[in-house]
Amino acid sequence: MDKKIMLVDDAAFMRMTIKNCLTKAGYTNLIEAGDGQVAVDTYQNEHPDLVIMDITMPNMDGIQALQAIKAADPSAKVVMCSAMGQEAMVVEAIHLGALDFIVKPFKPDRILQTVTKILG
């Protein structure tokens, strides 16, 4: 599939987990960022169709990165990832324009369901 998806998480293992799930489903145009600042910069250059982003990261967290991406591109499609117990941050992310959230640990079916719902 030619949809470009950016995976943002400071944990390489988490990015790999999502990448493997998406690759098996036929998504091959995947780019990665290790923190929120890199995500914002990469978004400006790559203009991905979807961003899947962790909330808790160093340098710039997912909430700040979401705000910066949405400020630059109000039509940006962003899905947040969170661990259990981050409900307040998830609610804030939804208010700031995130389309959905995925709870860690990831379930492949949930990732694919969310991506399919947003990208068609």
Side-chain angles (χ1 to χ4, degrees):
M1 296 179 206
D2 61 347
K3 296 288 187 183
K4 187 185 296 185
I5 302 174
M6 181 166 63
L7 311 175
V8 186
D9 198 309
D10 57 313
F13 174 77
M14 289 298 178
R15 293 194 311 269
M16 185 182 72
T17 300
I18 300 171
K19 190 175 189 174
N20 289 343
C21 172
L22 293 174
T23 301
K24 285 178 186 165
Y27 293 95
T28 56
N29 195 355
L30 305 173
I31 51 179
E32 298 181 41
D35 69 46
Q37 185 59 61
V38 174
V40 171
D41 296 341
T42 303
Y43 188 92
Q44 302 284 348
N45 296 326
E46 297 283 342
H47 303 287
D49 297 292
L50 175 63
V51 178
I52 300 175
M53 184 160 45
D54 188 23
I55 288 180
T56 308
M57 295 181 290
N59 300 329
M60 178 187 280
D61 69 27
I63 299 290
Q64 294 166 319
L66 170 66
Q67 288 176 299
I69 289 170
K70 292 296 271 185
D73 179 5
S75 67
K77 294 180 171 101
V78 181
V79 172
M80 304 305 292
C81 300
S82 73
M84 295 299 279
Q86 292 182 314
E87 288 83 2
M89 293 179 92
V90 168
V91 169
E92 182 180 359
I94 297 295
H95 284 299
L96 292 170
L99 297 176
D100 202 347
F101 67 95
I102 302 170
V103 177
K104 296 178 181 179
F106 300 120
K107 293 181 175 65
D109 293 349
R110 176 71 170 103
I111 295 169
L112 292 177
Q113 175 188 23
T114 300
V115 169
T116 303
K117 180 179 75 175
I118 293 170
L119 294 180

